[in-house]
Amino acid sequence: MTITSKAQRSWAHAGAMAAILALPLGVAAPAIAQDYPSAEETLDWTIAFGPGGGNDIMARTIIDILTKYDLYPGDIAPENRAGGSGAVGWGYLYAQSGDPYGISTTSGSFVTTPLQADTPWQPEDFTPVALLATDDLVLVVNGSSEIETIEEFIEAAKASPMNIGGTGTVNVDFIVPTLFAQSAGFEFDYVSFNSMADQTTALLSDALDAMVGNPGEILGLIESGELRPLVFSGQNTPAALEGVPTMGDVGHDIGVSMPRGLILAPDAPAAAQDWWIATMQEVVETPEWADYIEGNTLTPTVIYGDDFRVFLETTKNGFEEVLRSVGAID
Amino acid sequence: MDIFGDLLMGLSVAITPINILYLLAGAMVGMIVGVIPGFGPSAGLAILLPMTFGMDPIGAIMMLAAIYYGAMYGGTITSILLNTPGESATVASTFDGFPLAKKGRAGPALVMQAVASFVGGTVGVIMITVLAPLFAQVSRSFGPPEYFLLALMGMLTLIVMIGQHWKLGLISAMIGFALGTVGVDLETGQGRYTFGSAELIGGIYFIPIAIGLFGLGELFYAFYKGLHKTGTGGIVQYDKEERFWPTAKDWISTRWTMARHSVLGFVVGVIPGAGATIASLMAYSTERSISKTPEKFGKGEMAGLVAPETANNAASSGAMIPLLTLGIPGSASTAVLLAAFLLWGLRPGPLFMEQNPELAWGLIASMYLGNMALLAISIFAIPLFVQLIKVPYRVLGPTVVVICTLGTFSVNASFVETYLMFAAGIIGFFMRLYGFSPAALVLALVLGPLAEEALRQTLTISRGSFMIFVERPASLWIIGVTIALLVLLPLLNQVGKSAGQAEKAGS
């Protein structure tokens, strides 16, 4: 199936090439732009993680919006190609170099997996469409703690080093508090956990002093007063965390977030990239998208095209530097 | 909300036509998995796990749980009719179950085992209903130090309970621990034994290992023993009409047996690492030692069948307690159930019931219904399962190989994991042949990384001091209970095992 469609596609390309050669250049370029996306072609949408995860939910939300508003003319075939923390799925997309019909959504592992394993691809290899949102973190202490504000926290941490829990090591959970502590001038011991539930349990049992986490996952405990939020790492505090300052507000902006965006295969035609940028501009205006952002407590941060590539590169370099300085990668 | 309110809410979640259908399907599959010798709930669950993709989480988990406890019902049918336990927790049921069948009382034996299973299972669920919220409350004071100690307790209990072959069990556990070290080190983020492979970053997933060891390994062993050549002519025929129902004496003489072993079995089930097999052996030996007619045991005494049957079902309920409230599996099959929860993005633990009340109480409510369904199935569908026993191994064998391969591949669509499954199958065969313990390996593979992480978290928090384990009251309690278990369990186990061996020698 795939082989046939690939063959048809390259014939189509050959046809387009012939058209370019036969016609004056000025006429040919818009012809390609009108060709994309063709209703005949199935969009091969790679989801690099299993069903139910954050990446899967985002991909399927976008697909639902595209379908509902009739933004994409052809069929969309979403497929979960999980494995190796995204290496398998994005490796699959990497292999479709030049194909305008291969697409995927990114998440944190898009930056961290190539730092950890010998992937043939790097984040900047792909054709960037847009950064749509970022995952930011909130620093919380136990609701019964004596620490009420971030200022008190910093002061206490300077007096005697605290331990802060987070999920994983090659991850924003580690990088955010590290950069924040460097800026605010305190030291801490990072304790890494496998899941949010494990670290929350540890914090509630008073084994941990504090932890960082995605607000969406602990909102219930914050509302019930069992956890107390101190500071938020994003640019704007989400509505659910009203009154909590951002790291920028307290003078320690760190500028690191997990990118949730959209990419095409490497070297995809400019026409395809432009079409997707224009389309995503419509997607992010829909009420469904607003619901998704709110429901998952994401920070809406939208940048397009090559700015997204620069963002990815900056994020990757920032991660690499911090992780190398602590010996997490070599 | 009080328990009844919670339970009613759970019932309303569980009683939808589609969920009932999933529950019945799970119960049927559990019976089938239980009936097929050498094919226990761990392998059955692991293989069927991928089939639940795309299902609603509540339905999926209700179905998988029904497979888990349903296997305890099915396993006894072969114990009684064929003197071959369908799975390890029903070994004790052969001691008196088969003699009963030989005496021409197969019908009453089958009915009584179904009733005993139902009583054990239902009392177990009632105890879950009452105790799980309490446990969840207590476990909120548990942090990394306590988790480390609990994982340690689970492994020590398992190894101690293996008994005289504990050295082989220890070696099996060590292999599991070694496999558990593969993957990215949580603390430093460095890859361990990944050889640059992206597939190994996340470590060796235990599902393919469990499918290989329990599914293929057992199958290879069955072929080695020549099961495919021997027919199943050994089935004891039973009277479907006149002498099918138990007599009044059967009921009266075993009513306290059921009550006793519902509680005892449940308690043993709660202990991580103990579980249904141990509960059933212990139940048999205690029942015999308090019986007025111990000389009748092993010759077809109804109480000798009812005791282990009640206990193994109560224990399988009990094992849900640490799973739901701590997220710690006590056995290979509860480890697969845990994997099912994780697959749906649900992390069982102290906060689980509070944060997912619909799912938690829906599951508990479904277990009441599931046990009722299983009671009905195991009384009225016995002829169906007897037909299943007659399916020759030369048909069953290739089917199992295909299901194992497809099941493994469909979890992550990974070739590496499929190869690992076949390797585990071969290793599982040799482990079985030389008396090693595949269950210890799988449990170590799950608990090993958990223990390692918890220990390192603990020592980071305490800045390298081991005193943290005695400074926290919860830790001290766990240490106390672990020491008590390590002293008491071998004694009880010895009694259980010797009773079992005596029966084997006698029959």
Side-chain angles (χ1 to χ4, degrees), chain B residues 46 176 179 204-215 408 417 420-421 423-425 427-428 438 441-442 445:
Chain B
L179 292 176
I204 293 180
Y205 194 37
F206 80 95
I207 295 283
I209 305 290
I211 296 180
L213 289 178
F214 296 118
T408 309
E417 287 185 351
L420 276 173
M421 188 276 294
I427 293 166
L441 191 159
V442 168
L445 179 56

Side-chain angles (χ1 to χ4, degrees), chain B residues 397-423:
Chain B
T399 316
V400 170
V401 174
V402 170
I403 297 174
C404 287
T405 314
L406 278 179
T408 309
F409 186 74
S410 55
V411 177
N412 283 330
S414 161
F415 283 106
V416 172
E417 287 185 351
T418 313
Y419 301 145
L420 276 173
M421 188 276 294
F422 279 110

